[in-house]
């Protein structure tokens, strides 16, 4: 086998080293799609050691152990909180609000990107070449080219270039040339509609992003209001539960006094203890529910001063405004049609799809273009500056012009794009009509719920008055030894349930107002919220 002989042209260190480097760099590139090996953590599910996460050793259930009622909220610092403070905290601290302000900023940057397609483009190049003929004649060329391109919003472009060449040979000379080229599509890709469609689409997309951001911000404020009133109801429920507990304790005291007087049997004490135990459980459940809703309110506010694991208990300082509203559903619906961002978003999407459909229809035309080029040359054996000075003499003008035509046979791709864009536009219009129907249903449902919750307040207040009268009557009967502690405690329970229904109806009535404002694309309160755009400067 003959020995390997390196070609003489590859024996040069520079060329051989370059080729070797290129080959090695290609071999060392990682294959696309490779992923690291999955770790053991993703391949197994570990059991949770409950004893390991306990603050103290677990304690077995002791049926004889006494139970002492404690109120965790009393050991915590109380912070009074108004509804406006909650809304302000959401606007300033909520992370979701900050995130939702980014898409409009990105959409505006996309609009600037589309508008930059028509910016003036400057170009320049510098090159050097060397030739050697078979007669050992050597020549060197140094070329400097400057130019600019002006994109036209109606399609096409105007390009002006000035190449200058210095020839080092026998003899030396310099050449310069000014070339102006005008290119314009006359049918397909021609006209303002097609060439500025990207800008118009980006403008509509920016408005759509603004509408989505406003919708999400309105939703976050509405969620804050809802969380506030749910926490208010949970706080008031704690008061009712403790009141029930005190009534049960008082009933036991009355039973003990009557037992000492020999008017009742000892079973009345047992019945009273049973009632107390039931109310202790109600307090425990209500307190847990209050903490859960309070933690959700803290999460929405995202305030550094109100940590979710902190020792501050929130106390709502705003009471429900219980005034009956006589809402006209047609006025509310008209307001919703004008202000709902979901409807505006759907309308903007229809506009975007309609624009795409017009562009696709324009693409059915053949590509018929006109191009004209004019150049003026000069040369000099003195200097490059002299060559450039002679360009104004226009002694060697050249020009060319003509038309070009391109038309795919069958034009199936353009027709398919047109049909697809037409279907997309039809789907957007159907979605717009669906949004209108959903908004109308939501508005009318909200008006009915508002009226319903007001009637619930009236019914609950009337029930509370009747339950209070029944409880007083049952208590009087017990003192006359004409009934039992169970009947008194049941009457007290009915009274507590009536108060809880009144609290629930009052909170739901306030939430119905929130839902009514949200259904119209608005917010409650007297303060107007201005959405400030985000200006972000990328690092260089």
């Amino acid at each position: 086998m003959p020995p390997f002989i390196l070609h003489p042209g590859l024996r040069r260190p520079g060329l051989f080293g370059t080729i070797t480097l290129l080959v090695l760099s290609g071999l060392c590139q990682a294959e696309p799609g490779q992923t690291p090996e999955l770790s053991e953590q993703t391949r197994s599910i570990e059991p949770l050691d409950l004893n390991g996460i306990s603050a103290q050793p677990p304690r077995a259930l002791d049926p004889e152990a006494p139970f002492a009622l404690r109120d965790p909220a009393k050991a915590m610092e109380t912070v009074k909180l108004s509804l406006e403070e909650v809304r302000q905290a959401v606007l300033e601290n909520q992370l979701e609000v900050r995130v939702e302000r980014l898409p409009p900023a990105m959409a505006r940057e996309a609009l600037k990107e589309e508008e930059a397609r028509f910016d003036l483009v400057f170009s320049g190049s510098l090159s050097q070449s060397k030739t050697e003929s078979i007669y050992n004649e050597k020549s060197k060329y140094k070329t400097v080219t400057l130019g600019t391109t002006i994109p036209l919003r109606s399609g096409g472009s105007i390009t002006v270039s000035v190449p200058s060449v210095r020839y080092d040979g026998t003899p030396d000379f310099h050449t310069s040339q000014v070339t102006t080229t005008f290119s314009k599509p006359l049918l397909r890709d021609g006209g303002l509609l097609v060439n500025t469609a990207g800008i118009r689409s980006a403008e509509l997309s920016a408005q759509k992003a603004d509408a989505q951001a406003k919708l999400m911000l309105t939703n976050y404020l509405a969620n804050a209001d809802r969380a506030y009133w749910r926490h208010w109801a949970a706080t008031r429920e704690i008061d009712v539960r403790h009141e029930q507990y005190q009534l049960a304790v008082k009933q036991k005291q009355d039973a003990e006094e009557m037992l000492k007087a020999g008017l009742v049997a000892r079973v009345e004490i047992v019945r009273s203890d049973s009632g107390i135990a039931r109310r202790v459980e109600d307090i425990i459940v209500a307190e847990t529910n209050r903490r859960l809703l309070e933690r959700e309110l803290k999460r929405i506010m995202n305030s550094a001063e109100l940590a979710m694991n902190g020792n501050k208990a929130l106390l709502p300082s705003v009471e429900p405004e219980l005034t009956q509203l006589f809402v006209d559903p047609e006025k509310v619906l008209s307001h919703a049609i004008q202000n709902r961002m979901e409807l505006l978003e759907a309308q903007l999407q229809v506009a975007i799809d309609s624009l795409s459909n017009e562009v696709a229809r324009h693409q059915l035309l053949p590509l018929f273009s006109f191009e004209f080029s004019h150049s003026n040359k000069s040369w000099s054996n003195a200097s490059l500056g002299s060559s450039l000075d002679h360009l104004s003499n226009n002694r060697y003008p050249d020009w060319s012009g003509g038309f070009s035509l391109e038309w795919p046979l069958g034009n199936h791709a353009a027709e398919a794009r047109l049909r697809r864009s037409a279907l997309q536009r039809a789907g957007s219009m159907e979605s717009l009509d669906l949004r209108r129907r959903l908004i109308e249903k939501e508005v009318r449902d909200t008006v009915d719920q508002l009226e319903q919750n007001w009637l619930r307040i009236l019914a609950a207040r009337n029930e509370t008055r009747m339950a209070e009268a029944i409880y007083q009557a049952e208590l009087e009967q017990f003192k006359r030894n004409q009934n039992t502690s169970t009947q008194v405690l049941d009457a007290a329970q009915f009274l507590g349930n009536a108060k809880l229904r009144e609290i629930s109806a009052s909170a739901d009535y306030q939430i119905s107002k929130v839902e009514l404002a949200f259904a119209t694309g608005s917010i409650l309160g007297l303060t107007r919220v201005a959405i400030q755009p985000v200006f972000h400067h990328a690092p260089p």
Side-chain angles (χ1 to χ4, degrees), residues 258 263-264 476-483:
M258 296 182 69
L263 299 178
V264 297
E476 187 67 24
Q477 291 282 69
F478 177 77
K479 291 180 178 180
R480 295 178 181 178
N481 198 18
Q482 295 179 353
N483 61 4

Side-chain angles (χ1 to χ4, degrees), residues 46-54 58:
E46 300 296 333
L48 176 63
D49 183 12
L50 296 179
N51 294 333
I53 63 175
S54 298

Side-chain angles (χ1 to χ4, degrees), residues 9 137 140 168 203 284 383 388 392 435 446 535:
E137 295 178 352
K140 289 183 179 181
D168 295 334
E203 290 176 348
I284 294 173
S383 64
L388 293 173
S392 61
R435 289 280 178 90
T446 303
F535 297 99

Side-chain angles (χ1 to χ4, degrees), residues 33 140 152 244 346 438:
K140 289 183 179 181
L152 303 177
Q244 288 289 301
L438 289 177

